[in-house]
């Protein structure tokens, strides 16, 4: 079978939205080439009798992003055709083990990372769910989890995607971990990734119930703002909330929304244009 390798240029703050357009037409995942200036979002579609309709739908979806307030999303599609073996090798070539923080290393299942320095492997099969360890917001959250997950802590991961943060929390010593995603397919993939890692995690499409020592949400700024009250209800007094997926131009908006719900800032971490905000909930 032949495959169409499709690439679209997009600003750093628009790659996730563009990638979602790829997923909606059935690309089965996407990668972001950060080394390309501007970044490129790349996905693959089988060349069959549906390819023309899918490409038309993709073009229309990209053009519609501007109406949803997404800036810097390209609409120009570049296509290259490859054979089955070339597609498989090209896809895997994008994903290599990524050391993150002091203790973690994220790796696809076909790699054999060097663990001689005592790093903890997080095995994630790149698929249709966001979270392969390559995006700055994922790296910011993973490094923060290293510092804030206490042995035996209860942790909730809101908008889990591939499950990478929930898996990391479990492997860092959390006593119990719950995670959700509104996309049922992402929940399925996350559960499969958790099983490969031997991590016992409770997954679902609804927000986790109860209260937790630590809540992490690596999602869009507007979603964090909209969920800020519900997130506050799920963080124990003196508990920690790690918020990321935030482009720096939205930092103030997210900070104000979260602090209104009774959180105090602990620290701010940055990587490129992306921000992770870490808060502690008050005892009142």
């Amino acid at each position: 079978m032949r495959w169409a390798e499709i690439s679209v240029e997009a600003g750093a703050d628009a790659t996730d939205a563009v990638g979602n357009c790829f997923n909606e037409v059935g690309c089965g995942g996407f990668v972001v080439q950060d080394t390309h200036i501007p970044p490129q979002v790349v996905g693959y579609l089988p060349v069959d009798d549906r390819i023309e309709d899918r490409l038309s739908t993709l073009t229309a979806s990209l053009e519609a992003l501007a109406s949803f307030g997404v800036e810097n999303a390209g609409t120009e599609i570049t296509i290259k055709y490859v054979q089955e073996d070339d597609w498989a090798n090209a896809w895997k070539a994008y994903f290599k083990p990524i050391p993150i923080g002091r203790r973690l290393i994220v790796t696809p299942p076909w790699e054999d990372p060097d663990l001689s320095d005592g790093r903890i492997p997080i095995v994630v099969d790149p698929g249709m769910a966001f979270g392969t360890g390559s995006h700055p917001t994922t790296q910011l959250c993973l490094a923060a989890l290293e510092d804030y997950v206490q042995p035996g802590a209860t942790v909730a991961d809101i908008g889990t995607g591939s499950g990478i943060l929930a898996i990391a929390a479990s492997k860092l010593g959390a006593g119990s971990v719950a995670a959700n995603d509104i996309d049922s397919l992402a929940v399925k993939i996350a559960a499969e990734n958790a099983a490969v890692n031997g991590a016992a995690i409770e997954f679902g499409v609804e927000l986790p119930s109860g209260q937790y020592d630590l809540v992490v949400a690596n999602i869009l700024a507007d979603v964090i703002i909209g969920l800020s009250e519900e997130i506050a209800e799920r963080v124990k007094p003196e508990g920690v909330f790690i918020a990321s997926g935030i482009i720096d131009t939205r930092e103030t908006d997210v900070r104000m929304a979260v602090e209104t719900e009774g959180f105090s800032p602990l620290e701010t971490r940055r990587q490129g244009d992306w921000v992770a905000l870490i808060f502690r909930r008050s005892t009142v």
Side-chain angles (χ1 to χ4, degrees):
M1 176 180 288
R2 296 175 70 216
W3 291 78
E5 181 183 87
I6 304 161
S7 58
V8 175
E9 292 185 350
D13 55 344
T15 53
D16 292 345
V18 171
N20 186 58
C21 293
F22 277 59
N23 285 341
E24 287 179 346
V25 297
C27 275
F30 66 92
V31 293
V32 178
Q33 291 183 303
D34 292 324
T35 56
H36 189 279
I37 305 298
Q40 281 188 329
V41 180
V42 180
Y44 292 86
L45 283 173
V47 179
D48 55 21
D49 56 3
R50 298 175 294 171
I51 184 67
E52 290 188 10
D53 286 342
R54 284 175 159 179
L55 290 175
S56 296
T57 300
L58 177 60
T59 300
S61 297
L62 293 170
E63 292 174 347
L65 288 179
S67 65
F68 292 101
V70 179
E71 299 180 356
N72 303 318
T75 57
E76 188 72 25
I77 294 175
T78 301
I79 302 173
K80 181 172 70 175
Y81 293 97
V82 296
Q83 297 299 322
E84 181 88 25
D85 291 344
D86 296 329
W87 167 80
N89 292 329
W91 183 257
K92 289 184 177 181
Y94 288 116
F95 298 100
K96 298 295 180 182
I98 306 171
I100 296 174
R102 303 180 309 279
R103 301 167 58 193
L104 300 175
I105 185 166
V106 179
T107 180
W110 56 80
E111 291 287 339
D112 185 19
D114 181 5
L115 305 178
S116 61
D117 58 355
R119 286 191 178 266
I120 301 169
I122 309 297
V123 181
V124 175
D125 191 355
M128 294 181 70
F130 174 73
T132 61
S134 61
H135 197 276
T137 60
T138 307
Q139 295 180 11
L140 286 166
C141 286
L142 288 169
L145 288 172
E146 279 191 341
D147 293 332
Y148 287 97
V149 172
Q150 300 298 317
T154 55
V155 176
D157 176 17
I158 296 176
T160 193
S162 67
I164 186 171
L165 300 182
I167 294 166
S170 179
K171 287 198 161 188
L172 288 167
S176 64
V177 183
N180 89 297
D181 201 289
I182 60 173
D183 184 341
S184 59
L185 179 57
V187 170
K188 178 178 180 293
I189 293 170
E192 292 172 353
N193 285 329
V196 168
N197 285 273
I201 298 168
E202 180 183 346
F203 289 103
V205 294
E206 302 294 334
L207 286 176
S209 59
Q211 288 191 312
Y212 300 84
D213 298 308
L214 185 151
V215 173
V216 59
N218 183 26
I219 45 184
L220 297 176
D222 284 335
V223 179
I224 295 173
I225 292 169
L227 291 176
S228 56
E229 181 177 355
E230 293 175 270
I231 289 171
E233 294 172 352
R234 286 160 174 79
V235 182
K236 292 180 179 179
E238 293 295 317
V240 172
F241 174 41
I242 300 170
S244 195
I246 306 164
I247 196 72
D248 55 8
T249 55
R250 302 301 310 280
E251 175 184 347
T252 300
D253 298 334
V254 174
R255 188 185 300 279
M256 290 176 60
V258 174
E259 292 182 6
T260 297
E261 298 300 330
F263 288 89
S264 299
L266 284 176
E267 62 171 309
T268 302
R269 301 188 180 192
R270 304 179 189 278
Q271 187 171 333
D273 296 329
W274 299 95
V275 179
L277 303 174
I278 305 171
F279 303 90
R280 189 177 301 282
R281 189 183 174 204
S282 66
T283 57
V284 180

